């Protein structure tokens, strides 16, 4: 589950412009726990006749006390500020009331999460044409920071990060407060886990054991995590019917996922969860925008079942049953006069058309997986395509159009199946035809899909 962000056609020029400029920048951030405020500065080592600063559209209402270290003036400029005759080595300084921002956001949420949790786009200003920055963050004793930024070697209460700039409307999430922190190392990458609040030792042990299991499941796609550093923010939200209530993947200023949980639930309740594997599965594809939501959510929904079966969180038979049930719900949720799938994807949040979009996309990935495996005798599937895309194209972050993504997968696999199926599915005004999923159909291919590379798995 994730917020659909800006369309790819807007984001590609943004990324190209930043890559061409590459101006270095340095943030210094100091957090005050008593007032829940952040003192910030941004220093640039290059002079400019006119330097512009901005965050997202909400930033002008969230930052205050902007000054230049030179004492020269600043001018409001649309959603940002402009500074004339910027000097090499000069710094912009400001203050942000993170507590106020976080509390306002919490009041709008049905999940009632507590803590200082913000989107940095609302208070962390960037200079125009700066593609990346390093940050030094000073925190009070006992206060932790969870951010999607890449950690650098640090000592004491001072933390260092590298931040890749992304478009301002790519959601990110930062939490500051008393949290339990740990790192889960897996082949290919690290999950930087922060558990909000003060879970008791038994709850913490249970949560970490669950996260280790789901991260193991993610590695069964092709043997490793696809990205080197991933923020995992676990937010307790009180007593709930399910152990995991909601999840969200984010791509702003790095890769992260947020999981809203009831930490009091037992280990068995967490073992039944599918949300964490779903959100981790979003790491395997690039940002595809609203037009490609059916591809992105379909892949994550397909993998949430396949990867759980491969890792033993489900049996293969249970995974096939979950897929069959989802396809039935997707078919029931598709109206007779449905818009083309790509249009439904664009309208998904406004029209709440999640079930049709998610499960139509899942049917696409199953169809492609079956095509590849039938052609290769079960040896090659979408895992191989995603692994090759990881090796060439997944980092650094950039937006991809759905067409460019599927065409690159075809090129990497020397096939036409991804784009051919994409052209078929994107215009569908009905739910896709799904192959029979009973155990008597394609037994060898079914087994190959639910088996990790080099592993063995039964249908029981």
């Amino acid at each position: 589950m994730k917020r659909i962000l800006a369309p790819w056609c807007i984001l590609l020029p943004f990324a190209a412009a930043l890559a061409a400029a590459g101006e270095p920048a340095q943030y210094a951030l100091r957090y005050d726990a008593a007032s829940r405020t952040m003192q910030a500065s941004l220093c640039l080592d290059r002079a400019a006749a006119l330097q512009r600063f901005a965050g997202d559209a909400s930033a002008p209402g969230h930052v205050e006390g902007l000054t230049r270290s030179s004492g020269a003036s600043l001018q409001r400029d649309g959603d940002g500020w402009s500074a004339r005759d910027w000097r090499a080595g000069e710094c912009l300084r400001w203050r942000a009331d993170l507590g106020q921002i976080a509390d306002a956001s919490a009041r709008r949420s049905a999940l009632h999460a507590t803590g200082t949790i913000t989107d940095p786009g609302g208070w962390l200003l960037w200079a125009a044409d700066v593609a990346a920055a390093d940050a030094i963050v000073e925190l009070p004793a006992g206060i932790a920071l969870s951010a999607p930024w890449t950690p650098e070697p640090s000592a004491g209460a001072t933390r260092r990060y590298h931040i890749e700039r992304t478009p301002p409307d790519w959601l990110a999430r930062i939490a500051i407060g008393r949290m339990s922190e740990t790192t889960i190392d897996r082949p290919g990458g690290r999950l930087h886990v922060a558990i909000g609040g003060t879970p008791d030792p038994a709850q913490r042990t249970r949560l970490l054991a669950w996260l280790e299991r789901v991260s193991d499941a993610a590695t069964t796609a092709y043997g490793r995590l696809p990205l080197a550093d991933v923020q995992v923010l676990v937010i307790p939200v009180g007593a709930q019917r399910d152990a995991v209530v909601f999840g969200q993947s984010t791509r702003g200023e790095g890769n992260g996922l947020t999981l809203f949980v009831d930490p009091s639930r037992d280990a068995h309740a967490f073992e039944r969860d599918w949300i964490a594997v779903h959100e981790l599965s979003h790491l395997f594809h690039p940002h595809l925008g609203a037009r490609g939501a059916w591809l992105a959510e379909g892949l994550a929904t397909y993998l949430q079942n396949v990867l759980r079966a491969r890792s033993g969180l489900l049996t293969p038979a249970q995974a096939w049953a979950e897929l069959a049930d989802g396809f039935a719900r997707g078919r029931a949720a598709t109206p007779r006069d449905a818009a083309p799938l790509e249009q439904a994807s664009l309208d998904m949040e406004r029209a709440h058309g999640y079930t049709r979009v998610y499960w139509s996309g899942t049917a696409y990935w199953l169809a492609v997986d079956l095509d590849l495996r039938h052609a290769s005798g079960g040896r090659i599937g979408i895992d191989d395509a995603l692994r090759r895309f990881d090796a060439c194209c997944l980092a650094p972050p950039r937006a991809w159009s759905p067409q460019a993504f599927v065409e690159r997968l075809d090129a990497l696999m020397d096939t036409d199946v991804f784009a051919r199926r994409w052209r078929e599915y994107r215009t569908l005004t009905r739910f896709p035809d799904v192959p029979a999923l009973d155990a008597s159909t394609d037994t060898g291919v079914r087994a190959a899909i639910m088996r990790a590379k080099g592993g063995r798995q039964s249908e029981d």
Side-chain angles (χ1 to χ4, degrees), residues 189-207:
R190 301 174 294 175
L191 302 182
H192 302 283
V193 178
I195 302 172
T198 54
D200 65 39
Q203 290 176 346
R204 183 179 185 275
T205 298
R206 187 161 57 243
L207 288 169

Side-chain angles (χ1 to χ4, degrees), residues 73-375:
S73 62
L74 284 161
Q75 294 79 39
R76 278 296 303 272
D77 181 2
D79 287 338
W81 295 263
S82 292
R84 296 188 180 278
D85 301 318
W86 185 267
R87 302 175 185 178
E90 191 175 352
C91 302
L92 180 72
R93 296 168 179 156
W94 69 96
R95 174 183 177 275
D97 188 337
L98 301 195
Q100 185 180 59
I101 300 170
D103 292 346
S105 177
R107 285 193 293 270
R108 295 192 297 268
S109 173
L111 294 173
H112 304 295
T114 59
T116 304
I117 303 169
T118 65
D119 183 341
W123 58 267
L124 189 68
L125 304 181
W126 283 84
D129 300 331
V130 169
D134 295 318
I136 299 174
V137 185
E138 294 182 26
L139 298 168
I143 298 299
L145 168 68
S146 173
W149 310 331
T150 302
E152 302 286 356
S154 305
T158 299
R159 299 196 181 188
R160 297 178 181 271
Y161 298 91
H162 180 75
I163 311 174
E164 291 287 335
R165 188 179 182 184
T166 52
D169 52 2
W170 285 24
L171 179 65
R173 187 169 280 119
I174 283 178
I176 303 179
R178 299 193 181 278
M179 295 181 287
S180 171
E181 296 181 282
T182 193
T183 298
I184 296 176
D185 291 296
R186 289 293 179 266
R190 301 174 294 175
L191 302 182
H192 302 283
V193 178
I195 302 172
T198 54
D200 65 39
Q203 290 176 346
R204 183 179 185 275
T205 298
R206 187 161 57 243
L207 288 169
L208 291 178
W210 162 63
L211 290 172
E212 288 173 355
R213 288 291 303 274
V214 298
S215 62
D216 283 339
T219 64
T220 65
Y222 47 76
R224 65 177 187 270
L225 295 177
L227 295 165
D229 291 281
V230 180
Q231 172 200 27
V232 180
L233 177 58
V234 181
I235 301 176
V237 290
Q240 303 289 331
R241 184 182 65 180
D242 298 311
V244 186
V245 185
F246 182 72
Q248 191 172 41
S249 64
T250 57
R251 297 184 186 268
E253 299 179 358
N255 292 281
L257 56 117
T258 308
L259 301 166
F260 298 83
V261 307
D262 174 0
S264 69
R265 300 300 300 272
D266 62 22
H268 182 62
F270 279 96
E271 291 286 299
R272 293 197 302 269
D273 167 64
W274 57 267
I275 293 175
V277 177
H278 178 101
E279 301 306 335
L280 282 167
S281 295
H282 278 302
L283 301 176
F284 292 98
H285 66 79
H287 187 287
L288 296 170
R291 192 177 300 275
W294 65 273
L295 283 173
E297 297 297 352
L299 178 61
T301 304
Y302 183 56
L303 291 180
Q304 81 190 30
N305 294 292
V306 171
L307 302 187
R308 285 189 297 155
R310 291 179 181 177
S311 63
L313 292 170
L314 293 176
T315 67
Q318 288 171 329
W320 287 115
E322 292 279 346
L323 288 167
D325 179 69
F327 292 139
R329 289 185 283 112
R331 188 175 296 107
T334 304
R336 289 179 177 271
D337 56 346
L341 179 56
E342 187 172 82
Q343 185 61 48
S345 189
L346 285 165
D347 294 341
M348 180 176 68
E349 290 195 335
R350 179 189 60 80
H352 301 283
Y354 302 101
T355 304
R356 179 208 173 182
V357 170
Y358 278 48
W359 286 100
S360 293
T362 306
Y364 165 86
W365 289 104
L366 173 61
V368 170
D369 210 358
L370 290 173
D371 287 344
L372 292 171
R373 292 180 185 277
H374 284 144

Side-chain angles (χ1 to χ4, degrees), residues 284-286 384-395 400 404-405 408-409 412:
F284 292 98
H285 66 79
D384 302 275
L386 295 173
R387 175 179 54 80
R388 295 180 189 183
F389 187 85
D390 174 2
C392 76
C393 312
L394 194 56
W400 286 69
F405 177 51
R408 180 61 62 89
L409 292 175
L412 291 169

Side-chain angles (χ1 to χ4, degrees), residues 27-41:
Y27 288 107
L29 305 174
R30 187 175 73 253
Y31 183 68
D32 181 273
S35 63
R36 299 169 72 198
T37 58
M38 184 74 81
Q39 297 288 340
S41 71

Side-chain angles (χ1 to χ4, degrees), residues 429-446:
T429 57
R430 54 175 175 78
F431 194 79
D433 294 327
V434 180
L437 299 180
D438 59 272
S440 64
T441 305
D442 295 319
T443 304
V445 169
R446 286 166 51 90

